[in-house]
Amino acid sequence: MAGNKKRLHSTPIPYVAFGIILISLMTILGAGAFLRTNEIRVEGVVMYSPEDIVLASGISAGDNLLFISAQNVSQNIRAALPFVNSVQVTRALPNTVHIEVTESVAVAAITFAGEIYVIDSSGRVLARLPIATPELEGVNIGDLIEMRGVDIEETAVGNLVRPVFGSETKVQYMQDILIALERDNQIGYVSYLDVSNIVNVFFGYQGIYRVILGGSTSLRPSNLRHKIGMLEDSVNQLREQFPNIPGRILWEHETGRATFAPD
């Protein structure tokens, strides 16, 4: 009979949810007791020491791996150490944090308001030095590419240089050319880069040549990289024809050919 059937007892849903949450918390806290950082491995540093990276990271021995934010660690390091370009943070259970750093390379210098702005190929300011004593550990200021014709505003270390109004295109050409030179390992051959006139951008090369990028206003970054990639071979051919003769190398955008005119 219906009246004699046993009633089925059910556990209220809120109690079930609470139990699941409680078990989860106990599991996390229990595991967390064993996931304490006792080793931080650092790779990729040149300008800085591993100790510099660890100090800037904000990670301390004994920190719980579960609560270490890779994004926060990366931001801390890049904010404190301007030569750091990118940071990758990984956690290896049970107690190791791995920090892999890619550093920027100082390639050029811009003189502004009594200071020398040391920049990487992207135009990011790595240091600001007084002109009277431009010294930076690990960097020979005299080997940097002297930037000419770039009009900038005061820029904080770690930020991209700020062009004055109307000079954005010049700064863009500077970045494109420096990136192309760095990609093809040509930075060491260039003494200065002049973007005063974007129709006639040129740079000093190997101490005796002035390389003129004809038709600069119509150059795309891909075309520019192609031309820079051909530079060394073209100069070697010119040296055979005109041994150690200073002159101008004109790259004609329309024909894609280089011509030489002795000084």
Side-chain angles (χ1 to χ4, degrees):
M1 302 293 292
N4 295 330
K5 290 183 179 179
K6 294 184 179 180
R7 293 183 179 180
L8 298 176
H9 296 279
S10 60
T11 303
I13 293 177
Y15 289 101
V16 174
F18 178 77
I20 293 174
I21 294 173
L22 183 61
I23 293 173
S24 299
L25 287 174
M26 292 178 63
T27 301
I28 292 173
L29 294 174
F34 298 99
L35 300 177
R36 300 295 180 181
T37 303
N38 65 13
E39 183 179 10
I40 304 174
R41 298 177 183 174
V42 178
E43 294 183 3
V45 289
V46 176
M47 290 293 296
Y48 301 113
S49 68
E51 290 75 19
D52 292 331
I53 301 298
V54 172
L55 181 62
S57 72
I59 302 173
S60 301
D63 285 353
N64 192 317
L65 259 67
L66 296 177
F67 303 121
I68 292 176
S69 166
Q71 182 177 359
N72 289 344
V73 171
S74 176
Q75 290 176 345
N76 291 344
I77 295 173
R78 295 184 75 244
L81 306 173
F83 269 84
V84 172
N85 184 37
S86 63
V87 181
Q88 183 174 0
V89 181
T90 55
R91 294 168 291 187
L93 301 179
N95 51 29
T96 301
V97 177
H98 182 218
I99 303 176
E100 186 173 358
V101 171
T102 300
E103 293 182 344
S104 290
V105 177
V107 301
I110 302 173
T111 301
F112 172 75
E115 291 184 310
I116 294 177
Y117 282 45
V118 177
I119 63 173
D120 64 9
S121 60
S122 70
R124 193 163 65 91
V125 180
L126 305 178
R128 289 171 50 174
L129 311 172
I131 291 179
T133 56
E135 298 179 358
L136 182 61
E137 186 177 356
V139 177
N140 187 341
I141 304 301
D143 290 340
L144 300 179
I145 297 173
E146 175 193 351
M147 288 305 312
R148 301 176 183 177
V150 178
D151 300 316
I152 65 171
E153 297 180 350
E154 183 175 1
T155 308
V157 172
N159 295 337
L160 294 176
V161 290
R162 296 176 55 194
V164 300
F165 180 77
S167 294
E168 294 85 358
T169 302
K170 293 181 179 181
V171 171
Q172 185 61 60
Y173 272 117
M174 175 195 77
Q175 293 168 329
D176 290 342
I177 294 170
L178 290 178
I179 289 172
L181 289 170
E182 184 177 48
R183 189 203 65 168
D184 285 290
N185 299 315
Q186 300 294 305
I187 289 290
Y189 297 124
V190 178
S191 54
Y192 66 87
L193 171 59
D194 194 315
V195 294
S196 301
N197 183 351
I198 59 174
V199 181
N200 192 34
V201 175
F202 60 91
F203 54 87
Y205 190 73
Q206 293 192 2
I208 61 173
Y209 299 115
R210 183 172 62 174
V211 178
I212 303 170
L213 300 176
S216 298
T217 54
S218 61
L219 283 177
R220 295 178 179 177
S222 58
N223 293 337
L224 182 60
R225 290 192 293 268
H226 176 66
K227 289 191 173 187
I228 296 299
M230 297 168 55
L231 179 60
E232 189 171 13
D233 289 339
S234 298
V235 170
N236 289 337
Q237 294 175 11
L238 291 172
R239 278 191 179 277
E240 294 178 1
Q241 302 175 46
F242 311 97
N244 297 320
I245 298 177
R248 290 160 291 162
I249 299 175
L250 173 62
W251 243 306
E252 299 175 352
H253 176 67
E254 292 76 12
T255 62
R257 293 179 299 180
T259 57
F260 176 72
D263 287 340

